[in-house]
Amino acid sequence: ELQFIDFDTDETLEGDDNINDDSVQLKLNSIKETKESLPVFKYRTEFLKAVEDNQVVIIVGETGSGKTTQLPQYLYEAGYSKDKITGKPKIIACTQPRRVAAMSVAKRVAQEMDVPLGKKVGYTIRFEDNTNEQTIIKYMTDGMLLREFLTNPELDKYSCIMIDEAHERTLSTEIILSLLKDIILHRKDLKLLIASATINADKFSTFFNGAPIFSIPGRRFPVDIHYTKNPEANYVQAAITTIFQIHTTQELPGDILVFLTGQDEIELMELSLQEAISDLKLQNQLLVNSIYANLPAELQARIFEPTPPNCRKIILATNIAETSITIDGIKFVIDPGYVKQNVYNPVTGMESLVVVPCSRASANQRAGRAGRLGPGKCFRMYTKWSFYNELDLNPVPEILRVNLTGVVLLLLSLGVNDLLHFDFMDPPSTDSIIKSLELLYSLGALNSKGQLTKTGRIMVLFPLDAMFSKSLITSLKLGVLHDTLSILSMLSESGNLFYRPKDKREQADKTRGAFSEESGDHLTLLNIYDTWVNNGYSVQWCEDNFVQYKTLKRVRDIRNQLSSLCDKVGFKGSCQKWEGKADKNEVILRALVSGFFSNVVRLSKMGDCYRKLKRNQPLFLHPSSSMHNVKPPPKLLMYHELVLTSKEFMRNVTRVKPEWVKEFGLHYFSSKDLEFMEPMRK
Ligand code: ADP
Ligand code: MG
């Protein structure tokens, strides 16, 4: 039996005035009709004129108005894929903060232009390049464009660059904007478009010396906002209840979009929701789909399929559906009001993944998704009081809250030496720049004068965090590149590795336990990967062992990419097996410590938690760790990442030896930090 939730119902997110009802239809037949019905279509000529007359144009428009899919096509049709003087082919690029968006939009545009994906229209994301020498419209993650400055500092392959979703203020987007601001001074032929949803446009315009703002009038209907009367302790459960509440009280058609924080949460909610649907015998009426960064491409396409008649589609999405992807047919939005973010604390030098309340601007974007086709409703799983008192007005730009080590290394390799005076849109704190420089110095990427070393130059060639690339370089020196590549690839893939079917939990846990390596999670990951390889990359093996095939398949892709990069850089031995005399596993772990020494923690005196060598914050083993129940608890560990939920948890941990920490962390730790080690060595 369902206990309905009490909602407040007195607020409305206003729609736009100029709604033209003729242009809004649920069923649009041809691609041409669809294209011509989008709000941008009416402004095609004006848009092209604005680009013709200005080197930089800021474009603002409601989500779904056609910016991402149409504008690059307009530029192409207007001849921007050829150099105006020489006639040589040039690329029109469009960046996206998220890789799923880059893939899905490229696919859509290829379809609209009736060309195969990967040729004229393609996409590039980390570890996957789906373009060729014919590509003229290229969707790419902002991170990939940022890396292009290394090989092609003038970006002269490109005629137009559209920096999309600029309102998200991701780190890569902001650094690109700073770098482009410099490039356009001497590349007068390069056109720069900065596209964003409705917030922040003035800031971009000011940064680009008053560049014109081209507004595409929106087309959004009013959306009624419903807050819960009381705070909801469990928002996933509240969201499930609300789904049934909507389904039983609201007419069809009308699909439901639910905003969740990540893949784990989506998968868990999907399970409970499916259970509830089958308990209520609603399988024929409610279809559940999901969308998140790691969703395989074939499943991504499913969310765009029209909902069958007499059915309601429920889409469980991360904030990717907030502005980057538009799904037609949504009439109801359920918003728990949270988002998962990487948060870096320059004082402690710790970065962790944290679920935090989203901003009011995000919450309103989310609500707006319900008003694309007609008046909609948004159900917020929190109170009105929370909205106005606990949510920030705008999201904090990433540059102010993440670890800058990678970006600092990249800027130094581009010759930007005076980072404290670099033209950032919002300058990061001096503290966080200095912390990054310190880490790079202790990793051996910089010398004591702050100049890049040979190691630093090699490190930047890999699309990996500095700590990863350092481990990779050391593993080459120590002769364990082959295995280290596998481990780093496993760590790069954030998808779930195991699954636990409800009726076979014990068996699944047992199977999983059998992979455990005594030293900890890093070698356990290697063990899993190698066993899969030795079983011929088998799907069946994955099923038998409760391992997610799609995750391992992506690990294999990543590994292949990294290994061919190693070949390019001149690293030999990515396929070589270990032949040394020492214990190979120890050598691998040493290589890892060479990059991750700053993540070494020691058991507290009470033995109830771990603490970093430099800082005193308590850290705990993640329940998923194979080290979780080891008795007695190891004295010294290295972790891969921190996840902050009820406590600060370390995910993927391995025991390490004090001498390795001394060997590689010499420039990072003071002798006082390492004092405790002496008695440990007896
Ligand atoms: P904007 O960038 O302004 O938010 P888009 O160009 O992304 O708008 O979207 C324009 C339209 O194209 C939307 O109505 C959206 O539903 C449709 N669309 C985008 N991608 C796909 C896809 N993969 N399949 C079907 N429709 C899509
Ligand atoms: Mg878009």
Side-chain angles (χ1 to χ4, degrees):
E1 224 144 287
L2 282 171
Q3 185 77 47
F4 279 180
I5 297 176
D6 257 348
F7 286 103
D8 264 337
T9 53
D10 63 343
E11 251 186 35
T12 300
L13 192 70
E14 293 304 326
D16 294 297
D17 301 333
N18 52 349
I19 294 168
N20 171 358
D21 266 327
D22 300 341
S23 65
V24 184
Q25 292 170 7
L26 258 175
K27 287 212 175 56
L28 290 159
N29 302 322
S30 70
I31 278 186
K32 183 161 178 290
E33 270 178 297
T34 311
K35 288 183 61 153
E36 297 186 355
S37 75
L38 290 171
V40 285
F41 182 71
K42 282 198 216 110
Y43 301 90
R44 186 179 182 280
T45 319
E46 278 173 62
F47 162 74
L48 288 171
K49 176 97 174 51
V51 176
E52 175 89 42
D53 294 346
N54 300 279
Q55 188 171 16
V56 183
V57 181
I58 321 287
I59 293 147
V60 180
E62 188 69 49
T63 308
S65 54
K67 300 180 297 296
T68 313
T69 54
Q70 306 306 304
L71 300 183
Q73 293 187 66
Y74 296 171
L75 293 167
Y76 162 65
E77 290 155 9
Y80 283 98
S81 62
K82 288 201 183 79
D83 188 286
K84 287 258 149 71
I85 299 161
T86 64
K88 276 198 194 139
K90 291 255 167 165
I91 302 172
I92 297 158
C94 174
T95 65
Q96 294 292 317
R98 301 193 176 77
R99 51 195 192 142
V100 190
M103 288 161 76
S104 119
V105 167
K107 199 165 158 199
R108 170 70 181 177
V109 171
Q111 217 173 47
E112 288 186 9
M113 290 174 61
D114 199 19
V115 295
L117 182 61
K119 300 217 164 94
K120 225 166 159 173
V121 179
Y123 67 85
T124 305
I125 58 182
R126 189 165 81 139
F127 302 130
E128 192 179 342
D129 183 7
N130 201 342
T131 62
N132 71 8
E133 62 293 338
Q134 294 165 27
T135 302
I136 44 178
I137 297 185
K138 174 166 160 184
Y139 289 92
M140 62 204 302
T141 49
D142 50 5
M144 290 311 290
L145 182 64
L146 184 55
R147 295 194 55 80
E148 279 219 28
F149 284 89
L150 286 169
T151 46
N152 182 11
E154 297 294 309
L155 300 184
D156 38 29
K157 287 195 271 188
Y158 299 95
S159 59
C160 306
I161 295 177
M162 171 161 156
I163 305 296
D164 203 359
E165 306 282 339
H167 64 273
E168 285 215 24
R169 314 277 317 264
T170 63
L171 181 59
S172 297
T173 286
E174 293 205 24
I175 303 292
I176 290 173
L177 290 177
S178 296
L179 293 169
L180 280 173
K181 188 173 171 182
D182 192 40
I183 288 183
I184 54 174
L185 294 177
H186 49 270
R187 273 221 41 209
K188 291 292 177 200
D189 59 317
L190 179 66
K191 297 290 186 186
L192 173 58
L193 311 180
I194 300 166
S196 89
T198 35
I199 35 183
N200 274 332
D202 292 336
K203 181 139 189 155
F204 296 113
S205 170
T206 313
F207 187 65
F208 282 96
N209 307 317
I213 299 175
F214 189 88
S215 271
I216 299 157
R219 188 177 68 190
R220 213 201 53 237
F221 293 85
V223 176
D224 285 336
I225 308 285
H226 305 274
Y227 297 96
T228 57
K229 279 221 172 82
N230 303 304
E232 290 292 329
N234 179 343
Y235 64 74
V236 171
Q237 201 46 52
I240 293 178
T241 309
T242 309
I243 289 173
F244 292 110
Q245 203 161 340
I246 292 171
H247 187 61
T248 43
T249 59
Q250 310 287 317
E251 284 173 12
L252 286 169
D255 296 339
I256 305 173
L257 174 62
V258 188
F259 285 96
L260 296 169
T261 59
Q263 182 178 353
D264 290 5
E265 194 173 79
I266 288 177
E267 286 177 351
L268 283 175
M269 169 145 173
E270 184 160 1
L271 274 180
S272 341
L273 187 57
Q274 294 289 15
E275 264 169 42
I277 289 175
S278 80
D279 288 349
L280 295 166
K281 306 218 163 33
L282 291 172
Q283 294 96 322
N284 298 329
Q285 295 171 37
L286 292 174
L287 299 176
V288 185
N289 284 174
S290 47
I291 178 111
Y292 47 82
N294 280 325
L295 191 69
E298 47 307 349
L299 294 181
Q300 282 168 30
R302 249 186 26 198
I303 62 162
F304 293 107
E305 283 167 17
T307 311
N310 302 319
C311 243
R312 202 186 289 282
K313 194 155 70 177
I314 302 157
I315 296 167
L316 310 181
T318 57
N319 64 344
I320 187 162
E322 202 174 291
T323 60
S324 358
I325 284 187
T326 295
I327 305 150
D328 289 328
I330 303 295
K331 225 167 163 175
F332 306 100
V333 163
I334 297 179
D335 177 20
Y338 286 94
V339 64
K340 184 148 62 185
Q341 280 182 344
N342 238 334
V343 175
Y344 176 70
N345 179 341
V347 178
T348 59
M350 300 205 301
E351 184 168 51
S352 36
L353 272 177
V354 198
V355 171
V356 293
C358 69
S359 67
R360 267 181 267 164
S362 287
N364 285 338
Q365 274 291 340
R366 292 177 178 187
R369 316 307 304 191
R372 288 227 325 131
L373 297 162
K377 291 188 175 155
C378 171
F379 297 85
R380 293 184 171 154
M381 302 292 102
Y382 43 93
T383 61
K384 191 167 172 180
W385 189 89
S386 288
F387 180 79
Y388 288 102
N389 295 284
E390 294 179 339
L391 268 51
D392 288 337
L393 190 57
N394 282 308
V396 180
E398 207 174 33
I399 196 164
L400 302 181
R401 59 176 165 78
V402 300
N403 177 349
L404 299 177
T405 309
V407 156
V408 167
L409 180 62
L410 191 116
L411 289 174
L412 288 170
S413 350
L414 292 175
V416 179
N417 293 319
D418 187 2
L419 290 164
L420 297 177
H421 295 101
F422 184 64
D423 192 3
F424 294 106
M425 274 184 79
D426 274 308
S429 71
T430 309
D431 225 21
S432 73
I433 293 184
I434 289 176
K435 274 270 156 18
S436 300
L437 289 170
E438 280 172 4
L439 180 61
L440 288 170
Y441 170 66
S442 46
L443 285 168
L446 303 181
N447 62 22
S448 57
K449 292 186 196 132
Q451 296 156 330
L452 271 191
T453 59
K454 194 169 159 225
T455 305
R457 285 186 203 288
I458 301 174
M459 276 164 66
V460 81
L461 298 175
F462 290 92
L464 297 171
D465 280 350
M467 286 147 82
F468 274 74
S469 1
K470 176 60 189 286
S471 296
L472 208 59
I473 294 173
T474 313
S475 76
L476 173 77
K477 287 188 190 146
L478 299 180
V480 286
L481 182 60
H482 180 85
D483 292 314
T484 308
L485 265 179
S486 305
I487 296 175
L488 295 178
S489 306
M490 287 291 270
L491 294 171
S492 296
E493 169 52 51
S494 55
N496 286 344
L497 188 54
F498 290 99
Y499 57 91
R500 296 173 79 210
K502 208 174 123 204
D503 47 337
K504 289 184 190 153
R505 288 211 172 130
E506 249 173 65
Q507 202 186 334
D509 291 344
K510 218 168 126 196
T511 315
R512 176 175 181 169
F515 290 110
S516 286
E517 288 284 330
E518 192 269 336
S519 66
D521 298 316
H522 291 79
L523 292 180
T524 302
L525 290 176
L526 177 64
N527 191 13
I528 295 166
Y529 186 75
D530 280 349
T531 314
W532 181 57
V533 175
N534 293 335
N535 278 279
Y537 306 103
S538 140
V539 180
Q540 188 59 48
W541 180 88
C542 289
E543 278 174 23
D544 295 345
N545 290 280
F546 304 96
V547 173
Q548 303 264 14
Y549 173 74
K550 55 182 188 186
T551 303
L552 282 186
K553 190 166 161 291
R554 273 195 308 270
V555 172
R556 185 188 176 186
D557 292 341
I558 293 174
R559 198 187 180 289
N560 286 339
Q561 291 277 334
L562 285 178
S563 147
S564 57
L565 216 84
C566 284
D567 292 343
K568 261 198 220 151
V569 174
F571 280 23
K572 303 256 156 52
S574 57
C575 303
Q576 207 172 303
K577 296 270 152 81
W578 171 251
E579 278 159 7
K581 288 219 175 62
D583 174 5
K584 182 180 77 165
N585 284 345
E586 286 219 342
V587 181
I588 296 173
L589 296 180
R590 265 176 69 213
L592 291 172
V593 171
S594 83
F596 287 87
F597 51 80
S598 59
N599 287 1
V600 170
V601 295
R602 64 185 164 114
L603 191 64
S604 69
K605 290 209 181 70
M606 306 283 287
D608 57 342
C609 67
Y610 285 87
R611 295 182 196 277
K612 290 190 87 161
L613 306 188
K614 271 184 183 299
R615 303 281 164 185
N616 264 336
Q617 209 142 334
L619 303 171
F620 300 86
L621 288 168
H622 196 271
S624 73
S625 171
S626 60
M627 282 280 139
H628 196 53
N629 291 316
V630 172
K631 297 266 160 12
K635 292 228 164 68
L636 208 56
L637 292 173
M638 158 186 75
Y639 67 81
H640 175 59
E641 63 184 350
L642 293 179
V643 185
L644 178 66
T645 49
S646 51
K647 297 184 211 165
E648 196 84 64
F649 286 111
M650 304 178 283
R651 192 151 58 186
N652 289 322
V653 296
T654 284
R655 4 167 148 243
V656 296
K657 292 194 171 166
E659 53 265 35
W660 305 339
V661 182
K662 283 196 166 165
E663 180 182 358
F664 296 105
L666 207 59
H667 293 295
Y668 186 76
F669 298 110
S670 65
S671 45
K672 192 164 166 287
D673 295 334
L674 300 178
E675 244 169 29
F676 74 96
M677 285 183 182
E678 300 310 327
M680 276 177 62
R681 301 173 96 196
K682 284 178 214 145

